[in-house]
Amino acid sequence: MEEKELRKYWSAYTDSWKLMKNRQMVKAEHVAQMIKKHENPVMGRLFCLVVWQEIKRIKSGGTPLMDKQYEECLTGAWKLFKQYSSPNDTEEYWNGLVDMIGAISREYKNCSFATNLLVHVILEELERIWRVGKQK
């Protein structure tokens, strides 16, 4: 993946961290603004499924991770995405990705935030990138 495209993804990850860091003040309209700003289906999943669901879970009495854990989880997910950002057809690629997703998820005790981020954002976006690349 080209550097310019990676920067777009990085921007979304940093915006998601800003929302998590300020989660006490985040409302649905803030999430909607981020989705509009980034205009990418994966970013919609990042902000809706991962960030907004986690904020709603916390506001309804769920125990949050520590801020440092959210930051580390988002940073680790970003590094994983960047490492695997050029999908290919090899078993080595996909097995490596799935193994890394499992390891990071276990590191966060399979919490919903990490699982949603790793599976529904990273894995699904890399699969989408791979499918689009195969069609070309």
Side-chain angles (χ1 to χ4, degrees):
M1 182 175 294
E2 304 233 353
E3 189 67 29
K4 182 179 178 181
E5 191 69 21
L6 280 172
R7 274 193 227 119
K8 291 178 187 177
Y9 285 100
W10 173 245
S11 174
Y13 277 89
T14 58
D15 280 346
S16 64
W17 165 234
K18 288 174 191 171
L19 289 177
M20 287 308 301
K21 189 167 50 172
N22 298 296
R23 63 186 169 270
Q24 298 83 356
M25 299 176 287
V26 173
K27 295 184 171 118
E29 56 265 21
H30 299 120
V31 174
Q33 289 168 352
M34 289 298 176
I35 293 168
K36 186 177 180 181
K37 175 183 175 184
H38 293 287
E39 296 182 6
N40 180 313
V42 71
M43 298 310 130
R45 290 192 305 270
L46 178 63
F47 294 112
C48 286
L49 182 62
V50 178
V51 173
W52 186 233
Q53 289 300 317
E54 182 69 1
I55 290 170
K56 288 190 325 185
R57 187 187 69 77
I58 294 166
K59 287 181 177 183
S60 69
T63 305
L65 299 174
M66 295 186 316
D67 280 351
K68 185 75 173 157
Q69 289 175 303
Y70 286 119
E71 182 181 19
E72 289 171 353
C73 190
L74 286 161
T75 301
W78 162 251
K79 288 178 180 177
L80 180 66
F81 179 82
K82 187 175 178 185
Q83 178 183 351
Y84 284 88
S85 65
S86 297
N88 63 56
D89 258 342
T90 66
E91 278 188 44
E92 180 182 10
Y93 171 89
W94 293 104
N95 288 341
L97 175 60
V98 169
D99 289 347
M100 290 299 296
I101 286 172
I104 294 171
S105 187
R106 283 188 299 280
E107 185 177 331
Y108 293 94
K109 298 178 177 36
N110 298 313
C111 72
S112 60
F113 179 81
T115 301
N116 286 335
L117 179 61
L118 296 166
V119 175
H120 299 295
V121 176
I122 292 178
L123 181 59
E124 287 183 20
E125 180 61 4
L126 291 172
E127 286 177 333
R128 187 195 68 77
I129 292 168
W130 173 71
R131 282 191 307 275
V132 168
K134 264 184 94 165
Q135 292 173 354
K136 290 182 180 179

